[in-house]
Amino acid sequence: MKLPSRARFSTICLHAGQEPDPSTGAIITPIYQTSTYVQDELGKHKGYEYARTQNPTRMALERNVAAIESGKAAFAFASGMAAIGAIATMLKAGDHVIVSDNTYGGTFRLFDKVLTRYQLTFSYVDTSRLDLVERTISPATRMLFVETPTNPIMTLTDLAAAAELAHRRGLRLVVDNTFASPYLQRPIEFGADLVTHSTTKYLNGHSDSVGGIVIVTRDDDLEWLKFVQNAEGAILGPFDSWLVLRGTKTLPVRMMQHNANGLALAEFLAAHKQVHRLFYPGLPSHPQYEHARRQMRGFGGMLAFDLGSLEAARRLLNGVRLHALAESLGGVETLISHPATMTHASVPADRRAALGITDGLVRISAGIEDVEDLKEDLAQALDRV
């Protein structure tokens, strides 16, 4: 088996970074559940010394996702937040970072409550407005950290324009691509320097693994993150690596169904009298709909809608039967959540309000069930609101 040099996306997902096991011919990469490796003689080994530093299963995943995202290399970590933490080690005391204002609550918590203790500063800006981004750049700014679409308000950033601005001003552009997945958009192809994912979400796709990954394009970033991954040791274990490799094989077919179900649920909710406001880039009513069509390959399975009050949201969330009330996203099953008290609870209430993350906001990660069952479940729950 040999991956063609011009292989297309679905073929890359299935085969990149993986070869049949040389000793048995096993077509699936084995789980190398080992802590160390026997050396042939002093100073002579088979490329592996210690499992924190190298593991064949993790290496297969890293090569696979690097190819999927059109990057030079990738490094897998124990969680999405560990991956973002590793990116932050590229900064030094006194450096400044511009961040999408509607970023994931865990990212805000890391930046605002932990990294500011080390003399790093952060400005939170609507990165869909690159004029605001440019006005926020200072001599200390080193990085532009973007989520697109944002979690959970689904605001888009123009990646090509953001890359042009970042590079013109000497900044690295980092893109958290978790919400979209590389099936929908590949930021490196628009000029991003680094891309990160919580592999827990769409890359794994089955709600049975926690992990993170960083994909790089520059040799200096490659060498640094390789060093940091080993030095800090927040690695993705072999079994979790194997689970994510299983997930990337079916990423294209899963995303097609997530796309279809997300759009169908958005259309259903947009027409419902109880829904005050809907956030989904696949509807013409979304202010960035045309940009989403240009930048994304489909619109994804993530959507959010406002029911007007905490009590209305509570009635819906307690009334669903098929939708699972749970944190996280990107699994084959449909998950429903309340951002203000779940994913974004660490964001101060006044900031949530300014971003539109109201107490009445509900977020759905559309799974791959029959969409008519999902609509029927929402309909009966909305009747209780």
Side-chain angles (χ1 to χ4, degrees):
M1 294 172 58
K2 184 174 176 58
L3 188 67
S5 60
R6 298 178 62 184
R8 294 164 178 82
F9 185 78
S10 295
T11 307
I12 291 169
C13 287
L14 271 166
H15 296 294
Q18 302 162 81
E19 296 177 358
D21 178 58
S23 61
T24 65
I27 196 167
I28 298 298
T29 302
I31 303 169
Y32 287 91
Q33 195 70 47
T34 185
S35 62
T36 193
Y37 308 88
V38 174
Q39 301 191 13
D40 295 332
E41 58 186 72
L42 187 62
K44 182 180 179 182
H45 54 75
K46 296 179 174 64
Y48 300 93
E49 298 173 86
Y50 187 60
R52 184 185 69 247
T53 311
Q54 309 112 336
N55 179 277
T57 316
R58 189 178 79 229
M59 185 178 294
L61 171 65
E62 291 169 338
R63 290 174 175 172
N64 178 254
V65 177
I68 289 171
E69 278 284 14
S70 304
K72 182 169 287 188
F75 300 92
F77 295 88
S79 69
M81 293 313 306
I84 293 173
I87 292 171
T89 66
M90 299 167 67
L91 301 165
K92 298 178 181 178
D95 287 349
H96 172 246
V97 182
I98 298 172
V99 187
S100 294
D101 57 358
N102 180 214
T103 194
Y104 166 55
T107 304
F108 174 81
R109 180 174 55 226
L110 174 68
F111 290 172
D112 188 65
K113 300 296 190 292
V114 179
L115 297 183
T116 53
R117 294 165 60 92
Y118 300 93
Q119 289 74 57
L120 298 175
T121 58
F122 300 86
S123 296
Y124 299 90
V125 176
D126 178 359
T127 53
S128 71
R129 296 266 318 271
L130 291 177
D131 59 321
L132 297 180
V133 173
E134 185 149 29
R135 289 206 295 269
T136 309
I137 296 173
S138 75
T141 308
R142 298 291 178 267
M143 185 177 287
L144 173 57
F145 187 100
V146 167
E147 274 189 35
T148 181
T150 60
N151 178 6
I153 301 299
M154 308 299 292
T155 303
L156 275 65
T157 296
D158 185 329
L159 288 174
E164 189 279 327
L165 170 61
H167 297 156
R168 175 163 45 86
R169 299 298 297 270
L171 315 180
R172 280 180 173 81
L173 174 61
V174 181
V175 180
D176 186 335
N177 200 29
T178 300
F179 243 44
S181 89
Y183 177 83
L184 296 185
Q185 68 184 13
R186 288 183 285 285
I188 288 170
E189 296 177 4
F190 291 96
D193 299 291
L194 299 101
V195 173
T196 188
H197 288 267
S198 168
T199 61
T200 312
K201 313 306 194 298
Y202 284 113
L203 290 179
N204 170 259
H206 293 78
S207 302
D208 56 9
S209 172
V210 172
I213 201 160
V214 182
I215 303 96
V216 302
T217 62
R218 295 169 44 155
D219 288 337
D220 53 346
D221 293 344
L222 187 161
E223 292 302 324
W224 176 252
L225 286 171
K226 180 179 179 181
F227 174 80
V228 166
Q229 185 189 50
N230 181 56
E232 293 192 333
I235 56 169
L236 192 65
F239 185 51
D240 284 297
S241 298
W242 184 87
L243 287 170
V244 181
L245 270 174
R246 174 206 56 183
T248 59
K249 290 180 184 297
T250 61
L251 178 67
V253 292
R254 284 188 288 107
M255 289 307 303
M256 284 189 281
Q257 194 61 46
H258 288 303
N259 279 344
N261 283 0
L263 179 59
L265 291 182
E267 290 172 340
F268 169 78
L269 289 164
H272 200 284
K273 63 182 181 179
Q274 298 287 11
V275 175
H276 293 214
R277 193 176 179 193
L278 179 72
F279 303 91
Y280 186 71
L283 295 182
S285 58
H286 190 284
Q288 296 171 296
Y289 170 69
E290 289 299 331
H291 182 68
R293 290 182 62 189
R294 292 192 299 271
Q295 184 167 289
M296 301 172 69
R297 179 188 177 187
F299 306 105
M302 300 303 303
L303 60 146
F305 56 100
D306 199 328
L307 293 173
S309 70
L310 176 59
E311 184 55 33
R314 189 193 312 278
R315 289 177 182 174
L316 175 83
L317 293 165
N318 291 343
V320 290
R321 298 164 183 161
L322 182 58
H323 292 64
L325 177 57
E327 300 228 16
S328 200
L329 61 102
V332 292
E333 59 286 300
T334 296
L335 303 179
I336 194 166
S337 66
H338 185 243
T341 60
M342 296 171 77
T343 56
H344 288 68
S346 60
V347 178
D350 59 338
R351 281 188 54 81
R352 290 200 306 267
L355 294 169
I357 306 174
T358 66
D359 287 347
L361 190 73
V362 173
R363 190 189 79 181
I364 290 178
S365 170
I368 64 172
E369 301 94 338
D370 190 299
V371 75
E372 295 304 319
D373 292 327
L374 296 173
K375 288 194 287 187
E376 287 175 8
D377 187 42
L378 281 176
Q380 65 82 26
L382 284 164
D383 286 343
R384 303 165 184 249
V385 174

